Amino acid sequence: MKGLAVVWMGAVLCVGQQGLAQMGAPDARPTPSLPGVAGPLSAKYSADAAKILKAAETDEDGYAALTYLCDHIGKRLSGTPQLNTAIQWGADLMRKAGLQNVTVQPVMVPRWVRGSESGAMIYPGAAGQITRPLHMLGLGMSVGTPKDGITASVVFLSSFDALEATPADQIKGKIVVFNPGWHGYGVNTQYRTYGASRVAAKGAAAMLVRSATGLAMQIPHTGTLVYDPKQPKIPAAAISVEDALMIERLAKEGPVTVHLQMDAHMEADVQAGNVMGEIVGSEHPEQVISIGGHIDSWDVGQGAQDDGSGIMAAYEAVALIHKLGLKPKRTIRLVFWVNEENGGAGGRAYREKIATKIDDQVAAIEMDGGAEKPLGIGYGAMGGPRRPRTPGAAAAPPATAPDLTTMAPDLQQSVAALQDIVSMLGPIGTDTVSAGGGGSDISPLSADGVPSLSPRTTEAHYFDWHHTETDTVDKVEPVEFRKNAAMLSVVTYVLADMDGRLAGRKGAGE
């Protein structure tokens, strides 16, 4: 097949076997087929895909559920009563939607309590000493300060390299402030996650870090940190971009002091759970496509984009398949994983539940990047990060599709199959396949070779909102939300019903 032209709801789509760069090339090679698949998947499933896309245009159940979750349950930090309320509500939602085998898998999760917190910078002004409040949020899992707080002079650093170059006697007893600039979420979160222990090794009393965002709106972003057990645990908090830049400027002029007070502490673990419901496969019920996101959130905002939009788009995707009476050969399992934000206990428990039946896990799909304008599907076995590592990297579809000739034969076949599947999504603009796909919750599956996928969106504002007070349901645009659900629904249904299965790679998509 040198190219496939599909007339679809008024749109003409062309799928070439070497990707977009070689569409229509007369010397293009035939598209590799998955073993057991006879003919193009788009030819077999175009009618079903059309039904799903049409139904998704007007289906409001998913967005209504998202609104209820955000407005009436709200933030859902692991270990809180609000999370367990959301879990029971999620199970009821699945039952009402007609899903089968609805269960809550018990999972023990950590209970981190923020408590009261505040910060202030103290520095010389034209008319005397100035005390200015900091826009701050303690980092998840941080320890607290002594009751009266910590007051110490600041050491400003722009990088871990600068830390290594600074003698320990210049850091001991001080508060280190990191501002590496904005180089993308993957870079900036290294400071948030590991910075506290790095500076504690040199005797720092506390750490402040610029929030992992490119948006300067005096909004601090929380997130989890990981302590090195070999180092002392010190308090750590994120500060707004503006405050980080101001401290940087002031530190060049002379001494800056910060007062930090945090009541953060850990309590005993609490039982929560993964919520699961199924459309049981008609021919191979033991073979499973897992799809979902995480039901927990941080203790600020409403957890709307992160990850209410993910679990509710996945819910709508599965509910649409059930409403339309489609009967896939394999089982589709909708999962709301727990404790993604500060521990990952849900993903690990899910993997333990599967135990030795890992070969029956045909694919795992996780949506945890917000429900902004969707572009297509990321495929973890192709390599690459599951989320862009540089600002703006997801702002447009890839200029060219993957070059199949550079891949192993099984990946050639799988990518070609995915390209064929997404060709049916042209009317909603989600017809690209890109490297990188997966998520934290499904990483224990992908580590053992289960093919992992995730939606690709523009993520134009995701990192402006997530982990902040501004992650509220008004940030989720209903039309784009339904497009995400439609894309997930078509891809999930075809993967669950087609005869072949995608290739996986151990460790891919983590």
Side-chain angles (χ1 to χ4, degrees):
M1 182 177 66
K2 293 188 176 182
L4 175 65
V6 182
V7 180
W8 196 258
M9 294 172 65
V12 178
L13 313 174
C14 294
V15 181
Q17 38 284 26
Q18 297 303 323
L20 302 180
Q22 297 185 17
M23 275 198 302
D27 59 345
R29 300 179 186 177
T31 303
S33 297
L34 286 172
V37 175
L41 292 168
S42 53
K44 180 177 180 180
Y45 291 104
S46 60
D48 291 334
K51 291 177 184 177
I52 292 172
L53 294 183
K54 183 174 178 59
E57 287 180 359
T58 56
D59 192 285
E60 297 181 353
D61 288 352
Y63 195 85
L66 174 63
T67 301
Y68 184 91
L69 174 67
C70 292
D71 287 347
H72 296 276
I73 299 177
K75 51 197 175 186
R76 308 170 296 281
L77 183 64
S78 288
T80 62
Q82 291 91 339
L83 175 61
N84 283 347
T85 297
I87 287 168
Q88 293 306 316
W89 169 83
D92 289 341
L93 187 71
M94 291 185 190
R95 292 187 187 100
K96 291 176 183 177
L99 300 189
Q100 300 164 273
N101 302 328
V102 176
T103 58
V104 175
Q105 178 193 12
V107 180
M108 297 302 293
V109 301
R111 170 70 165 136
W112 177 75
V113 178
R114 178 180 300 279
S116 65
E117 58 184 17
S118 63
M121 66 176 86
I122 306 158
Y123 59 96
Q129 182 173 279
I130 295 174
T131 299
R132 184 177 181 278
L134 285 170
H135 299 81
M136 58 83 70
L137 272 177
L139 296 180
M141 314 302 276
S142 175
V143 298
T145 64
K147 182 178 179 180
D148 295 331
I150 295 172
T151 302
S153 57
V154 161
V155 175
F156 173 83
L157 297 172
S158 61
S159 66
F160 284 141
D161 288 343
L163 171 64
E164 294 304 314
T166 303
D169 60 1
Q170 295 181 23
I171 291 176
K172 186 175 182 179
K174 297 180 181 179
I175 296 176
V176 171
V177 178
F178 276 118
N179 180 14
W182 176 236
H183 304 289
Y185 191 70
V187 172
N188 283 66
T189 53
Q190 298 300 305
Y191 294 86
R192 184 190 75 195
T193 306
Y194 305 113
S197 290
R198 295 281 295 268
V199 301
K202 288 196 169 186
M207 180 197 74
L208 298 176
V209 62
R210 168 196 165 129
S211 290
T213 178
L215 180 68
M217 290 286 286
Q218 289 291 22
I219 300 169
H221 294 227
T222 191
T224 198
L225 64 80
V226 176
Y227 285 119
D228 181 344
K230 298 178 182 179
Q231 303 299 336
K233 293 182 179 181
I234 62 172
I239 58 176
S240 68
V241 173
E242 292 90 340
D243 284 354
L245 292 169
M246 185 171 182
I247 290 174
E248 179 178 4
R249 294 192 303 272
L250 292 171
K252 294 176 182 178
E253 298 176 4
V256 180
T257 299
V258 162
H259 176 76
L260 186 66
Q261 187 278 323
M262 296 170 60
D263 289 339
H265 63 279
M266 298 295 300
E267 296 184 358
D269 288 358
V270 174
Q271 181 172 300
N274 293 326
V275 189
M276 295 175 282
E278 297 178 341
I279 297 175
V280 177
S282 60
E283 294 185 15
H284 305 290
E286 77 286 356
Q287 297 181 13
V288 178
I289 307 289
S290 298
I291 174 175
H294 64 88
I295 193 168
D296 63 303
S297 75
W298 281 110
D299 58 334
V300 291
Q302 294 180 325
Q305 288 283 17
D306 186 20
D307 187 29
S309 66
I311 59 173
M312 290 297 101
Y315 159 76
E316 181 164 325
V318 177
L320 283 169
I321 295 169
H322 178 70
K323 288 176 184 179
L324 292 169
L326 299 173
K327 306 291 186 182
K329 297 173 183 175
R330 300 183 177 100
T331 293
I332 296 172
R333 182 179 296 151
L334 175 63
V335 189
F336 299 166
W337 285 281
V338 74
N339 188 228
E340 188 272 348
E341 293 292 8
N342 62 337
R348 293 192 300 272
Y350 186 74
R351 175 64 186 89
E352 291 168 6
K353 169 185 170 64
I354 291 165
T356 60
K357 297 181 179 179
I358 192 69
D359 289 342
D360 287 334
Q361 299 296 305
V362 175
I365 305 171
E366 181 171 355
M367 181 169 172
D368 186 18
E372 294 181 86
K373 181 180 178 181
L375 305 173
I377 287 289
Y379 179 34
M382 292 167 62
R386 65 183 177 92
R387 187 176 271 156
R389 299 306 188 191
T390 55
T400 61
D403 182 357
L404 303 185
T405 61
T406 64
M407 300 179 188
D410 61 340
L411 288 184
Q412 290 188 39
Q413 296 160 358
S414 295
V415 173
L418 282 172
Q419 288 177 323
D420 196 8
I421 293 169
V422 301
S423 74
M424 296 181 281
L425 299 172
I428 59 172
T430 63
D431 52 355
T432 66
V433 177
S434 56
S440 297
D441 294 304
I442 62 175
S443 62
L445 300 178
S446 56
D448 284 329
V450 177
S452 58
L453 303 101
S454 57
R456 289 293 195 194
T457 74
T458 58
E459 289 190 349
H461 298 289
Y462 181 74
F463 293 116
D464 299 340
W465 300 322
H466 95 316
H467 296 190
T468 76
E469 287 286 356
T470 66
D471 187 8
T472 49
V473 71
D474 52 279
K475 306 303 189 304
V476 184
E477 205 284 318
V479 171
E480 303 303 345
F481 173 86
R482 289 195 290 270
K483 288 180 181 179
N484 276 279
M487 173 177 64
L488 288 174
S489 191
V490 171
V491 171
T492 301
Y493 174 67
V494 176
L495 292 179
D497 193 70
M498 69 187 194
D499 294 327
R501 53 194 290 178
L502 301 179
R505 288 291 185 271
K506 287 191 175 183
E510 296 184 71

